[in-house]
Amino acid sequence: MTYELISPSCPAEWAVYHDIRRVVLFENRGRVGVYDPQHPDEFKPNHFPKLLLFDKISVGVVRIDIDDEIARFRRVAIAGDQQRRGHGRKLLSLAEAFSIKHHARRVEASVAADAIEFYRRCGYQALRVLDAVGSVRMTKDLANG
Ligand SMILES: CC(C)(COP(=O)(O)OP(=O)(O)OC[C@H]1O[C@@H](n2cnc3c(N)ncnc32)[C@H](O)[C@@H]1OP(=O)(O)O)[C@@H](O)C(=O)NCCC(=O)NCCS
């Protein structure tokens, strides 16, 4: 069982990266027809789109935005039929290792209400509620391992 966190580099990898995001984070939440794969935030030099492979199969995505000592994890998602198998925990762990290599000392994430417990179980602490639907800013200190 081998995990890899790769940067999409060919049309097929970009397609599955956007498919997982569009379906899990938009369409499954009732937001159909609004996902934009060409959003400018995808192309900034300090933003790193990542695809999680499990035994060469694409199972999840994250975009890691490095801002000095802070890494912001954006649009974390595991494909629907792959959830609750430990892939999400591994995704965060590999994204944290990537962030440490890029000199980040802390991770921040804006977490949907139904994902707060997942982040908490992966060592993240809630900072503050962000909006009326219960999204929460969560953080993890990387400097202490
Ligand atoms: C949230 C998500 C990324 C978690 O990934 P996953 O692969 O399903 O999670 P894992 O199997 O690695 O779970 C890790 C731990 O979190 C727990 N967990 C995962 N999802 C959970 C949830 N929705 N509610 C409560 N606990 C959850 C698991 O039980 C596990 O706990 P344990 O190891 O202590 O027993 C994934 O389910 C997903 O993509 N959900 C839809 C999109 C989403 O909510 N993304 C986050 C946006 S902020």
Side-chain angles (χ1 to χ4, degrees), residues 24-25 29 75-79 82-91 110-112 114-119 121-122:
V24 176
L25 298 169
R29 292 172 168 171
R75 309 278 189 215
V76 169
I78 299 296
Q82 296 287 337
Q83 292 175 9
R84 299 297 190 109
R85 300 180 186 189
H87 297 320
R89 184 188 288 278
K90 190 68 186 177
L91 176 70
S110 300
V111 177
D114 55 5
I116 291 171
E117 182 60 18
F118 160 69
Y119 273 88
R121 286 177 183 243
C122 293

Side-chain angles (χ1 to χ4, degrees), residues 10-99:
C10 66
E13 289 170 355
W14 280 114
V16 72
Y17 170 84
H18 289 302
D19 282 352
I20 292 173
R21 298 172 113 219
R22 190 189 70 252
V23 172
V24 176
L25 298 169
F26 286 78
E27 293 177 357
N28 287 358
R29 292 172 168 171
R31 301 178 67 204
V32 176
V34 296
Y35 178 69
D36 176 12
Q38 299 299 324
H39 193 287
D41 284 352
E42 291 299 302
F43 302 100
K44 293 186 175 167
N46 58 327
H47 292 185
F48 301 92
K50 294 288 180 183
L51 189 57
L52 181 70
L53 306 184
F54 177 65
D55 287 346
K56 307 293 182 192
I57 305 294
S58 302
V59 296
V61 294
V62 59
R63 199 185 76 223
I64 305 167
D65 297 355
I66 304 285
D67 185 6
D68 289 329
E69 294 189 341
I70 299 175
R72 295 192 172 83
F73 292 175
R74 307 282 194 192
R75 309 278 189 215
V76 169
I78 299 296
D81 60 351
Q82 296 287 337
Q83 292 175 9
R84 299 297 190 109
R85 300 180 186 189
H87 297 320
R89 184 188 288 278
K90 190 68 186 177
L91 176 70
L92 292 191
S93 151
L94 290 172
E96 289 160 14
F98 176 91
S99 302

